[in-house]
Amino acid sequence: MTTFVEKWLMGPVPHDRGLHSGDDPANLKFRAWSQVRLAARTVAAGLAATGVGHGGRVAILADDPGDVADLVQATWTRGAAFTMLHQPTPRANLHAWLDDTRAVIAMLGADVLVVGGIFADALAGTDVGTTIVSVDELTRLGRAGEGADIVPVPLVADDVAILQLTSGSTGIPKAVVISFGNLEANHYAMAEAIDLTDVDVSISWLPLFHDMGMVGLLLLPMLSGITAVITTPRAFLVKPQVWAELIDRFRGTCTAAPNFAYALLAKRLRRADDGAYDLSSLRVAINGAEPIDESSMFSLLAEGTRFGLRSEALLPCYGMAETTLAVSFDSLSTRFDVDTIDAGLAETTGEIRLAPATVERAAAGAGAEGSAGAPTPGRRCRPTSGSDSRFRGSRWRYFTRDRRFPRTGSAP
């Protein structure tokens, strides 16, 4: 059966919408999705020359979001699966990182490691256990071969699209197998949950080796044909307020990030002059991937309101790589809600009961419970014994045992 991605690879793509990308937010490069498609086809021909075919596995180390977009499409054009390898942090032990990278490449059984940007020079001549080839080399090989005329390899729903690495916080990362069928189901569920349309513009600085950055803010806009703006985590860390600048400049409507980033943004907005940013275009600001601190959400609202940020735009969510990405989103039409619960009773009996409204949130026996909304379309959720989760009506809710913070962004 023809898959959604196969149809997309063979079908028309927009000439007027595309990808703004780069490490310098002030000088992002724009390419229409039609231009990305042509570049990706040439890279796919290069992958074919290296022996990558149906069922193959391509590991990627590239810091330019534009290169990554090309490589994703090129890999799928060859009927193969890709994995974005974790990139070293500024303070990382590079010898340890390289050892971990070798172990991950062996675990994946990668046919090739494609490197781009700073990694092309850094890993030149390094033994990583598989063939290393740069994005530029693939482009040259592709032009010498079939070039942009290469025909996509047929796909079926069970074919592997992504081998998504987990965080690896307790050891070497594990790979979650995401099929094209999984990807399709998640794509339609997310698009429906946030009412995605052709006029939407996504804004991101998230690392593309993380599922929120890759699936939510590259693949969703790319497969939907909407405009995407993607800079690098480095750009955000150097100047966090660049996030607000990009939303303002491109009239961004959708974004996502972990809780810490919203807390940091709130601090930067507090220091900004009135009128410095216009955030009124933003209608979806997903908060997930880590425990959500309600105080951060309220701080962002307090500081963002004078820049036009709407309260209903803040969208707590729940998701994980094992479900491709999305599990549940909060409401698009109302502000997120937080209840005060009797955490002591919940811990001892499992019963969820609202505490009196006069109880201070930090007092003993009081805890915060936040809503992560309803399951995404097509998703069914079932609480299991011992879980820190409960249904309330059609809404999925999480609470913590520390009595202070709602856990709505990562698996309990």
Side-chain angles (χ1 to χ4, degrees), residues 199-239:
V199 299
D200 277 309
V201 176
S202 64
I203 308 290
S204 178
W205 51 265
L206 297 179
L208 292 174
F209 57 77
H210 192 280
D211 53 355
M212 181 182 280
M214 170 56 71
V215 179
L217 290 164
L218 174 59
L219 299 187
L220 182 64
M222 185 171 75
L223 293 170
S224 301
I226 69 168
T227 295
V229 179
I230 306 178
T231 189
T232 62
R234 181 167 51 245
F236 172 76
L237 292 175
V238 169
K239 184 183 178 185

Side-chain angles (χ1 to χ4, degrees), residues 296-334:
S296 298
M297 301 282 277
F298 286 120
S299 292
L300 182 59
L301 279 182
E303 304 303 334
T305 298
R306 64 192 176 103
F307 300 108
L309 180 65
R310 292 174 286 178
S311 61
E312 63 270 23
L314 302 187
L315 203 66
C317 78
Y318 180 81
M320 51 188 164
E322 290 79 359
T323 61
T324 307
L325 181 59
V327 173
S328 67
F329 287 161
D330 204 2
S331 170
L332 290 173
S333 59
T334 59

Side-chain angles (χ1 to χ4, degrees), residues 1-238:
M1 181 176 66
T2 302
T3 68
F4 160 69
V5 169
E6 184 179 353
K7 290 179 181 177
W8 174 79
L9 285 170
M10 297 292 290
V13 285
H15 295 273
D16 57 341
R17 300 185 298 275
L19 175 64
H20 299 264
S21 63
D23 186 49
D24 180 2
N27 190 32
L28 299 178
K29 178 182 178 181
F30 175 76
R31 290 183 300 159
W33 289 123
S34 56
Q35 293 173 302
V36 175
R37 169 69 56 80
L38 287 174
R41 289 283 179 87
T42 301
V43 173
L47 286 174
T50 67
V52 174
H54 185 263
R57 298 185 173 188
V58 176
I60 300 173
L61 263 175
D63 56 349
D64 183 345
D67 284 344
V68 175
D70 293 351
L71 290 167
V72 168
Q73 290 197 34
T75 301
W76 287 348
T77 298
R78 294 301 302 147
F82 75 86
T83 299
M84 288 294 299
L85 300 185
H86 290 172
Q87 298 179 8
T89 62
R91 297 178 181 177
N93 181 315
L94 294 182
H95 292 291
W97 169 79
L98 186 57
D99 287 342
D100 289 346
T101 298
R102 289 192 185 102
V104 170
I105 287 173
M107 178 266 293
L108 294 171
D111 300 297
V112 64
L113 169 62
V114 183
V115 291
I118 60 174
F119 298 103
D121 292 331
L123 294 179
T126 303
D127 179 11
V128 297
T130 193
T131 301
I132 297 179
V133 61
S134 72
V135 178
D136 290 342
E137 289 176 289
L138 286 178
T139 300
R140 287 194 294 270
L141 287 170
R143 286 171 178 165
E146 294 181 75
D149 294 328
I150 192 170
V151 177
V153 172
L155 301 168
V156 297
D158 289 339
D159 284 337
V160 181
I162 309 170
L163 290 167
Q164 176 66 48
L165 297 181
T166 58
S167 64
S169 58
T170 57
I172 297 299
K174 304 299 188 294
V176 175
V177 178
I178 299 174
S179 70
F180 285 101
N182 297 147
L183 190 65
E184 177 176 355
N186 179 83
H187 174 83
Y188 284 125
M190 288 186 64
E192 182 177 343
I194 63 173
D195 293 337
L196 199 68
T197 70
D198 289 347
V199 299
D200 277 309
V201 176
S202 64
I203 308 290
S204 178
W205 51 265
L206 297 179
L208 292 174
F209 57 77
H210 192 280
D211 53 355
M212 181 182 280
M214 170 56 71
V215 179
L217 290 164
L218 174 59
L219 299 187
L220 182 64
M222 185 171 75
L223 293 170
S224 301
I226 69 168
T227 295
V229 179
I230 306 178
T231 189
T232 62
R234 181 167 51 245
F236 172 76
L237 292 175
V238 169

